């Protein structure tokens, strides 16, 4: 293949990579193929990849901090119930959006799912305690429903940890109610 034709193909593949018409790994493979291994990433590509990695790290760290923030909102602040619940549901909504955004990203999707499940559990128990204070049966039924939800979601989306958590939660609840 002549040099001019190869340059045209390389520029086209670079355009595909910038505009995300093809996944980055495919473009890198094609660039290495057409340049016979002599293609080097530009500093701007490396910088962009580092920025994306840093942004992803900060988002994961933020989502990991939502669970302790939820416990802080519920147990260590003087906020009224009317202010606590929208905050908890905002945290839960953020986890759902992050899980939806990262659904194709492999292991990173599990962090918002776990945080969202625990935030939803905390919020639903708090709602039950607010409307039915000191009612052990209501709290137990809320925990049971949450565990059933975890089992369903774990089976539906093949999240073994969620399925096992639901089963263990129901087991602990049964032991707690029996003794």
């Amino acid at each position: 293949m002549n040099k001019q034709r190869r340059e045209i193909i390389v520029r086209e593949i670079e355009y595909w990579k910038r505009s995300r018409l093809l996944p980055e790994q495919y473009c890198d493979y094609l660039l290495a193929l057409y340049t016979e291994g002599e293609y080097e990433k530009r500093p701007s590509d490396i910088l962009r990849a580092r920025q994306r990695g840093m942004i992803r790290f900060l988002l994961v760290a933020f989502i990991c901090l939502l669970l302790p923030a939820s416990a802080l909102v519920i147990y260590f602040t003087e906020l009224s119930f009317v202010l606590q619940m929208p905050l908890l549901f905002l945290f839960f909504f953020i986890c759902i959006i992050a899980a939806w955004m990262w659904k194709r990203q492999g292991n990173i999707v599990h962090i918002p799912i776990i945080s969202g499940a625990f935030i939803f559990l905390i919020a639903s128990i708090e709602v039950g305690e607010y409307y039915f204070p000191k009612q052990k049966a209501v709290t137990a039924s809320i925990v049971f429903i949450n565990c059933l939800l975890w089992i369903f979601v774990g089976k539906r989306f093949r999240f073994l940890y969620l399925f096992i958590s639901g089963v263990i939660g129901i087991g602990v609840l049964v032991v707690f109610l029996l003794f």
Side-chain angles (χ1 to χ4, degrees), residues 6 9 13 24 38 40 46 66 71 90 121 125 127 138:
R6 185 177 301 170
I9 292 172
I13 294 170
E24 189 173 337
E38 296 177 8
E40 291 188 24
I46 295 170
L66 287 179
L90 174 69
L121 176 67
I125 288 174
V127 167
V138 172

Side-chain angles (χ1 to χ4, degrees), residues 11-29:
R11 276 189 268 128
E12 188 66 25
I13 294 170
E14 287 174 343
Y15 169 74
W16 293 347
K17 186 175 180 179
R18 276 193 314 273
S19 60
R20 298 178 189 226
L21 293 172
L22 282 177
E24 189 173 337
Q25 295 88 351
Y26 294 173
C27 293
D28 290 341
Y29 172 75

Side-chain angles (χ1 to χ4, degrees):
M1 181 182 305
N2 66 16
K3 188 172 178 114
Q4 182 183 9
R5 193 170 181 191
R6 185 177 301 170
E7 287 297 319
I8 292 171
I9 292 172
V10 167
R11 276 189 268 128
E12 188 66 25
I13 294 170
E14 287 174 343
Y15 169 74
W16 293 347
K17 186 175 180 179
R18 276 193 314 273
S19 60
R20 298 178 189 226
L21 293 172
L22 282 177
E24 189 173 337
Q25 295 88 351
Y26 294 173
C27 293
D28 290 341
Y29 172 75
L30 290 172
L31 287 169
L33 183 69
Y34 281 104
T35 60
E36 298 173 356
E38 296 177 8
Y39 179 77
E40 291 188 24
K41 288 186 175 181
R42 294 187 180 125
S44 63
D45 290 341
I46 295 170
L47 182 62
R48 244 185 263 129
R50 284 185 184 165
Q51 287 173 343
R52 278 195 308 265
M54 182 57 79
I55 288 171
R56 184 178 297 152
F57 172 76
L58 291 174
L59 286 173
V60 168
F62 175 72
I63 288 174
C64 287
L65 290 175
L66 287 179
L67 192 58
S70 299
L72 183 74
V73 164
I74 292 292
Y75 299 114
F76 300 110
T77 61
E78 294 290 327
L79 292 175
S80 68
F81 178 78
V82 176
L83 292 175
Q84 288 176 346
M85 286 305 109
L87 271 174
L88 287 179
F89 285 111
L90 174 69
F91 293 168
F92 178 71
F93 188 67
I94 290 170
C95 289
I96 295 300
I97 289 175
W100 180 76
M101 283 176 29
W102 296 334
K103 65 184 171 191
R104 300 189 197 281
Q105 306 246 335
N107 292 337
I108 198 169
V109 74
H110 302 297
I111 294 169
I113 290 172
I114 293 168
S115 293
F118 280 120
I119 290 170
F120 188 74
L121 176 67
I122 290 171
S124 58
I125 288 174
E126 191 64 25
V127 167
E129 287 290 323
Y130 181 77
Y131 287 111
F132 305 101
K134 298 182 183 178
Q135 296 288 325
K136 185 175 165 183
V138 172
T139 305
S141 63
I142 289 172
V143 171
F144 181 74
I145 290 169
N146 269 282
C147 289
L148 282 180
L149 184 66
W150 292 356
I151 290 171
F152 172 74
V153 171
K155 278 190 118 176
R156 170 72 172 89
F157 297 106
R158 295 186 179 139
F159 295 140
L160 184 62
Y161 59 88
L162 212 51
F163 178 78
I164 291 173
S165 297
V167 170
I168 290 173
I170 289 176
V172 169
L173 183 65
V174 167
V175 168
F176 178 73
L177 291 176
L178 291 177
F179 298 106

